[in-house]
Amino acid sequence: MTKTFAPDSVGLVTPFTVQFDEPLDLACGRTLSNYELVVETYGTLNANKSNAILICHALSGNHHAAGFHSEDDRKPGWWDGYIGPGKAIDTNKFFIVSLNNLGGCSGSTGPRSINPDTGKPWGADFPKLRVRDWVHSQARLADSLGINQWAAVIGGSLGGMQAMRWALEYPSRVRNCVVIASAMKLSAQNIAFNETARQAIISDPEFHNGNYLDHNTYPKNGLAIARMIGHITYLSDDVMGEKFGRDLRSGSFDQGLDELVEFQVESYLRYQGDSFSKNFDANTYILMTRALDYFDLAREYGDDAAAAFRRAQCDFYVASFTTDWRFPIERSREIVDALISAQKNVSYTEVESPYGHDAFLLPNEHYCESFSRYLAGIDTE
Amino acid sequence: MTKTFAPDSVGLVTPFTVQFDEPLDLACGRTLSNYELVVETYGTLNANKSNAILICHALSGNHHAAGFHSEDDRKPGWWDGYIGPGKAIDTNKFFIVSLNNLGGCSGSTGPRSINPDTGKPWGADFPKLRVRDWVHSQARLADSLGINQWAAVIGGSLGGMQAMRWALEYPSRVRNCVVIASAMKLSAQNIAFNETARQAIISDPEFHNGNYLDHNTYPKNGLAIARMIGHITYLSDDVMGEKFGRDLRSGSFDQGLDELVEFQVESYLRYQGDSFSKNFDANTYILMTRALDYFDLAREYGDDAAAAFRRAQCDFYVASFTTDWRFPIERSREIVDALISAQKNVSYTEVESPYGHDAFLLPNEHYCESFSRYLAGIDTE
């Protein structure tokens, strides 16, 4: 008996690997002699290859953005609510390309891969990456798929940084740049949270200076703490209050405290940390958070964001969410102001949502409608 | 040559220890058969003992609130800006009592003390405490000093919780209750940050289930991470931005990334974490954060804060700070609303400050003036 998927689902999808043998020069000064990227695509590339959309993932994302890997798969891809037939990123219209970024841990070349020079996993010696390195590797991917110009490059959070960098690095290859819940650079507080997460990983004795795979172990505790910190910052105070309040999971204040009194939010967070740490690579986490910290759209444009955006040739769609305190609406307004100064076309929406930074992944009528209409207006002839 | 202190400093102060031999029943159901509290006092108790103020400390505070312990001491007590001759808490008028709370690590009986039943440090077996336990032990301290009624009980943050609990537990013994940057209970997000900090400590292999002293070690890394998390939440995004921005401490983006690029805020935070972890006790940190989490002013009053405050007989002064996101102004407004419903006299000020939760410790003209005037109005005849 074959399972039937919902009519607006892309259904079963199969990732594939693209091998790149031309060396890639990285911003850090090092070169990757060859690398692989794991990719999924949804929809059909049209004859003149003008309907392709690139999805750029965030910190802990990967190539699996929509659909299911098997009929038993209970969870669809991470952006399934927005990718599919008739959805905001409409697979009836667009050909969507989603990849696991270089340095990732879901199949693309990264710290868990074998370093051809040593025959051992790269571990901590994997080159440090910057957002532009991802963009360059994504451009190679576009070449390999015969896509000269993206109808749109789309990303949320760290993905939005990639979308903006695309617009500056390859102005002629992007027609629309979609930047959701993102920023032109992190604040000191953002960097501080990322550094605390990294320190939790690095100070875990199982980290072994990043070469934990050589020791058949991994920094489970440190990575769990890192995820707990991250998770709190992705949610709003309000939504944590609504979801958990001060409900107890065990114990009671009437019976005295020697039986442990534990709040629901505590065990929820520990569960999130534990399950993440089993599946994600610690070196990738460090690499991704550093790329986030290092990103500064206008650094090489004299810190003038409008000057930076003047290079772009595309139109822009920017969205932010009212309770997002990790990438607050002020950061998106700065993007919009700079785009207007650079005389670019920009559509901007501030979405009312209680869900904090995570809102960009979640169903929301206003966001969905606005996002859908923008993409519906893109010409793919 | 004797050092001269500023005329508004309390100058040299010497802590002393008060021994209590009457058993103290705790909220957890256990009993401490005896205990010691370390205390400092500033100013002079008047003849009818009506000018005494109790200072309740916050998470990482202690008895040393004002003045200097030696002439070489470079740093005064933690609230020196507000305690002294002519200052807001005026030692010309008041006799100020400041203690290290039970369970602390600055000399009062706590997890580092010897458990008389075992002859070894209490460690993880030290009883879990609640805010009311501190209040009860502080009442014993008042008894020992011959103070029947406080002119005021004052506290910020966790200290404000103690001040409020005082007003409910000993209504006739408090004339004024001063609650600064505090809350009637923590939010789920607050608890989540505290739990992440605790997990960082507990999962450090040097924690040894809390009995690290038996192993001649302590969970330095875990405690440093805990402090880093805490420290970020005490500061505002704005003040971190002003203080550090994206300034680099080492490396450069032009030279490639293989020499480490490090932001100022990263090394600042690591320094804060390291120096804290050398001086503070991990079990105390866990105990104090749990007391914070457990505190819920109105729990036993049917979750009706006005009903709780109806027990109080004192007047109230409440202050909050605009950029405090750990104890946001909404939490103080809730206190004020409940006090008004309970028909209590309450003075309330919202102070404009960029400094986040830490603002309650820092110089601020509006706050200082408002606080001073309130205390100046207290009758000590």
Side-chain angles (χ1 to χ4, degrees):
Chain A
M1 209 172 81
T2 317
K3 183 175 168 184
T4 319
F5 294 101
D8 64 351
S9 168
V10 299
L12 276 184
V13 295
T14 307
F16 60 95
T17 299
V18 184
Q19 169 79 35
F20 298 86
D21 291 318
E22 193 190 336
L24 183 70
D25 292 334
L26 303 170
C28 66
R30 293 169 70 184
T31 299
L32 269 181
S33 54
N34 58 69
Y35 56 97
E36 295 181 343
L37 296 176
V38 174
V39 182
E40 282 182 12
T41 68
Y42 323 111
T44 308
L45 188 60
N46 63 11
N48 53 8
K49 302 186 174 182
S50 60
N51 70 334
I53 282 181
L54 175 67
I55 304 288
C56 303
H57 70 71
L59 185 55
S60 58
N62 58 29
H63 54 282
H64 185 39
F68 299 85
H69 280 165
S70 74
E71 292 184 359
D72 305 327
D73 217 353
R74 282 179 310 167
K75 261 182 71 178
W78 56 269
W79 222 9
D80 194 78
Y82 289 86
I83 301 171
K87 291 184 182 169
I89 308 173
D90 189 349
T91 49
N92 291 330
K93 176 177 181 181
F94 294 109
F95 173 67
I96 293 128
V97 178
S98 177
L99 77 155
N100 183 216
N101 273 339
L102 204 57
C105 55
S106 300
S108 292
T109 298
R112 276 185 190 165
S113 309
I114 299 299
N115 176 350
D117 293 342
T118 65
K120 294 203 299 179
W122 281 98
D125 194 42
F126 193 83
K128 292 185 185 67
L129 297 179
R130 284 167 64 184
V131 168
R132 65 188 61 218
D133 296 317
W134 289 327
V135 168
H136 297 158
S137 65
Q138 290 158 359
R140 297 269 181 90
L141 175 62
D143 296 342
S144 80
L145 298 170
I147 296 164
N148 184 50
Q149 187 186 58
W150 298 105
V153 178
I154 300 179
S157 191
L158 178 57
M161 293 172 170
Q162 295 162 57
M164 288 187 280
R165 188 59 76 199
W166 255 101
L168 306 192
E169 293 285 302
Y170 299 104
S172 66
R173 299 190 71 173
V174 187
R175 290 206 305 285
N176 292 275
C177 175
V178 175
V179 183
I180 300 172
S182 192
M184 294 190 288
K185 58 187 174 192
L186 293 194
S187 71
Q189 188 191 68
N190 290 148
I191 296 170
F193 276 123
N194 284 342
E195 172 62 6
T196 306
R198 285 189 293 266
Q199 284 300 314
I201 293 169
I202 290 167
S203 69
D204 185 327
E206 302 300 326
F207 184 63
H208 294 287
N209 292 317
N211 298 313
Y212 41 87
L213 294 181
D214 293 348
H215 296 76
N216 292 311
T217 185
Y218 67 103
K220 185 175 184 325
N221 292 331
L223 194 51
I225 302 294
R227 178 59 166 185
M228 289 171 75
I229 295 170
H231 202 79
I232 299 172
T233 68
Y234 303 145
L235 299 177
S236 69
D237 189 13
D238 285 354
V239 80
M240 287 190 105
E242 270 168 41
K243 215 164 163 179
F244 307 106
R246 295 178 52 86
D247 295 346
L248 295 181
R249 178 179 164 84
S250 68
S252 139
F253 287 100
D254 304 329
Q255 290 162 20
L257 296 180
D258 267 5
E259 184 186 350
L260 187 69
V261 173
E262 189 182 70
F263 293 96
Q264 288 287 1
V265 68
E266 298 180 79
S267 66
Y268 166 80
L269 259 193
R270 282 204 305 279
Y271 174 80
Q272 291 292 328
D274 278 356
S275 56
F276 183 78
S277 69
K278 283 177 199 147
N279 297 307
F280 208 80
D281 181 68
N283 284 315
T284 291
Y285 200 83
I286 292 173
L287 180 154
M288 296 269 174
T289 57
R290 285 217 190 273
L292 257 175
D293 291 358
Y294 292 158
F295 184 77
D296 187 344
L297 182 95
R299 186 190 289 116
E300 70 227 67
Y301 300 89
D303 291 322
D304 178 347
F309 279 131
R310 245 171 248 130
R311 288 180 61 83
Q313 297 171 18
C314 59
D315 292 342
F316 288 82
Y317 173 84
V318 178
S320 67
F321 300 87
T322 49
T323 56
D324 184 350
W325 60 281
R326 180 109 180 191
F327 289 86
I329 51 174
E330 290 77 10
R331 296 295 87 75
S332 284
R333 289 179 188 168
E334 287 164 5
I335 296 171
V336 172
D337 286 346
L339 286 167
I340 291 171
S341 294
Q343 299 186 296
K344 299 298 161 188
N345 290 329
V346 52
S347 303
Y348 175 51
T349 184
E350 281 182 11
V351 180
E352 199 80 45
S353 163
Y355 295 110
H357 188 55
D358 269 359
F360 87 87
L361 300 166
L362 300 172
N364 178 300
E365 204 177 330
H366 166 197
Y367 165 44
C368 186
E369 174 141 345
S370 157
F371 193 11
S372 300
R373 281 179 192 258
Y374 183 83
L375 293 182
I378 293 179
D379 186 3
T380 56
E381 291 314 301
Chain B
M1 209 175 82
T2 318
K3 184 175 168 183
T4 320
F5 294 101
D8 65 351
S9 168
V10 298
L12 277 183
V13 295
T14 308
F16 60 95
T17 299
V18 185
Q19 170 78 35
F20 298 86
D21 291 319
E22 194 191 334
L24 183 71
D25 292 333
L26 303 170
C28 66
R30 292 169 69 184
T31 300
L32 270 181
S33 55
N34 57 68
Y35 57 98
E36 295 181 342
L37 296 175
V38 174
V39 182
E40 282 181 13
T41 68
Y42 322 112
T44 309
L45 189 61
N46 63 11
N48 53 9
K49 301 185 173 182
S50 59
N51 70 334
I53 280 181
L54 176 68
I55 305 288
C56 303
H57 71 71
L59 184 56
S60 58
N62 58 29
H63 54 282
H64 185 38
F68 299 84
H69 280 165
S70 75
E71 292 184 358
D72 304 328
D73 217 353
R74 282 179 309 167
K75 261 182 72 178
W78 56 268
W79 221 9
D80 194 79
Y82 289 87
I83 301 172
K87 291 183 182 169
I89 308 174
D90 189 349
T91 49
N92 291 329
K93 176 179 181 181
F94 294 110
F95 173 67
I96 293 128
V97 178
S98 177
L99 77 156
N100 183 216
N101 273 338
L102 205 57
C105 55
S106 300
S108 291
T109 298
R112 276 186 190 164
S113 309
I114 300 299
N115 177 351
D117 292 342
T118 64
K120 294 203 299 179
W122 282 97
D125 194 42
F126 193 82
K128 292 184 185 67
L129 297 179
R130 283 167 64 183
V131 167
R132 64 188 61 219
D133 296 317
W134 289 328
V135 169
H136 297 158
S137 65
Q138 290 159 357
R140 297 268 182 90
L141 175 62
D143 296 342
S144 80
L145 298 170
I147 297 163
N148 184 49
Q149 188 187 58
W150 298 105
V153 178
I154 300 179
S157 192
L158 178 57
M161 293 172 170
Q162 295 161 58
M164 289 187 279
R165 188 58 78 199
W166 255 101
L168 307 192
E169 293 285 302
Y170 300 103
S172 66
R173 301 190 70 174
V174 187
R175 291 208 303 284
N176 293 274
C177 175
V178 175
V179 183
I180 300 172
S182 192
M184 295 190 288
K185 57 187 175 191
L186 292 194
S187 72
Q189 190 191 65
N190 289 148
I191 295 171
F193 276 123
N194 284 342
E195 172 62 5
T196 307
R198 286 191 293 265
Q199 284 300 315
I201 294 169
I202 289 167
S203 69
D204 185 327
E206 301 300 327
F207 183 63
H208 295 287
N209 291 318
N211 298 312
Y212 41 87
L213 294 181
D214 293 349
H215 295 76
N216 293 311
T217 184
Y218 67 103
K220 186 175 183 324
N221 291 332
L223 194 50
I225 302 294
R227 178 59 167 187
M228 290 171 75
I229 295 170
H231 201 79
I232 300 172
T233 68
Y234 303 146
L235 299 177
S236 69
D237 190 13
D238 285 354
V239 81
M240 287 191 105
E242 271 169 41
K243 216 164 162 177
F244 307 105
R246 295 177 52 86
D247 295 346
L248 295 181
R249 179 180 166 81
S250 69
S252 140
F253 286 101
D254 305 328
Q255 289 161 20
L257 294 180
D258 267 5
E259 184 185 351
L260 187 68
V261 173
E262 190 182 69
F263 293 96
Q264 288 287 1
V265 67
E266 299 180 80
S267 66
Y268 167 80
L269 259 194
R270 283 204 305 278
Y271 174 81
Q272 291 291 328
D274 278 357
S275 56
F276 183 79
S277 69
K278 284 176 198 148
N279 297 306
F280 208 81
D281 181 68
N283 284 314
T284 291
Y285 200 85
I286 292 173
L287 181 155
M288 295 269 174
T289 57
R290 284 216 190 275
L292 257 175
D293 291 357
Y294 292 160
F295 183 76
D296 187 345
L297 182 95
R299 187 189 289 117
E300 71 228 67
Y301 299 90
D303 291 322
D304 178 347
F309 279 130
R310 246 171 247 129
R311 287 180 60 82
Q313 297 171 19
C314 58
D315 292 341
F316 289 81
Y317 173 84
V318 178
S320 66
F321 299 87
T322 48
T323 55
D324 184 350
W325 59 281
R326 179 107 180 195
F327 289 86
I329 51 175
E330 290 77 10
R331 296 293 88 73
S332 285
R333 289 180 188 167
E334 287 163 5
I335 296 170
V336 172
D337 286 345
L339 286 167
I340 291 171
S341 295
Q343 299 186 295
K344 299 298 160 188
N345 291 328
V346 53
S347 303
Y348 175 52
T349 184
E350 281 180 12
V351 180
E352 200 79 46
S353 163
Y355 296 110
H357 188 54
D358 268 0
F360 87 87
L361 301 166
L362 300 172
N364 178 299
E365 205 177 330
H366 165 196
Y367 166 43
C368 185
E369 173 142 344
S370 157
F371 193 10
S372 300
R373 282 180 192 256
Y374 182 84
L375 294 182
I378 294 179
D379 186 3
T380 57
E381 291 314 299

